[in-house]
Amino acid sequence: MLFYKIGLNINLMKSEGTLLKLNSSRESVYQDLARIMEYETLDFQDYSEELVMIVDGNGYFNKNYLVFQIVTQYGDTIELAGSIIFAKNIETEDSTDIGPISEEEILILRDKLNIKLIGITRGI
């Protein structure tokens, strides 16, 4: 599965987008994301009808996480702490799951994404 991640480039000390590839099944993708990203919990925020942003559920409580301000496709301005993973919303019979995002969708997202780095967390 392919995802798009916005996080911190340690060498340049600035935000950067990268591809995140996982060999996960639909049943294990949540656990695999949490393990790879070292998140205790996952938090989900819709970016658009088609895309969802996934962040560390404890992002604001951690030290030295970047804080991003993002304008969603709905026109809402939100703030998220930590690396942001973009995935596809997959409607199922019972709920909504996450799925891979295509390279074409990533290119479109990068062109339209209204995101600013606004700070860094101090932790608790």
Side-chain angles (χ1 to χ4, degrees):
M1 291 188 171
L2 183 66
F3 302 99
Y4 184 61
K5 179 182 116 179
I6 295 179
L8 175 65
N9 180 321
I10 300 289
N11 297 327
L12 300 176
M13 290 307 291
K14 69 177 211 172
S15 61
E16 168 179 87
T18 58
L19 299 178
L20 177 62
K21 294 180 183 180
L22 295 178
N23 293 321
S24 300
S25 66
R26 191 170 277 179
E27 294 80 28
S28 69
V29 69
Y30 297 100
Q31 294 85 0
D32 293 343
L33 272 175
R35 179 179 44 78
I36 287 170
M37 298 303 297
E38 298 180 0
Y39 294 167
E40 285 183 41
T41 62
L42 300 175
D43 197 15
F44 302 87
Q45 175 70 49
D46 283 332
Y47 174 75
S48 67
E49 192 172 312
E50 298 86 24
L51 299 177
V52 64
M53 298 177 287
I54 307 165
V55 294
D56 185 344
N58 296 323
Y60 281 100
F61 302 111
N62 292 308
K63 190 174 183 176
N64 297 327
Y65 269 28
L66 297 180
V67 179
F68 296 99
Q69 184 179 70
I70 299 171
V71 179
T72 70
Q73 291 295 296
Y74 301 111
D76 301 327
T77 301
I78 58 171
E79 294 176 2
L80 299 172
S83 295
I84 303 168
I85 299 169
F86 286 87
K88 187 94 170 211
N89 272 324
I90 307 291
E91 296 291 329
T92 65
E93 189 174 304
D94 300 321
S95 66
T96 303
D97 286 335
I98 62 168
I101 184 171
S102 72
E103 290 181 18
E104 182 179 333
E105 290 169 317
I106 292 170
L107 291 175
I108 293 168
L109 172 65
R110 286 177 44 177
D111 286 342
K112 292 183 177 182
L113 190 60
N114 184 349
I115 185 169
K116 287 187 229 175
L117 177 60
I118 61 169
I120 192 163
T121 60
R122 293 184 186 170
I124 293 183

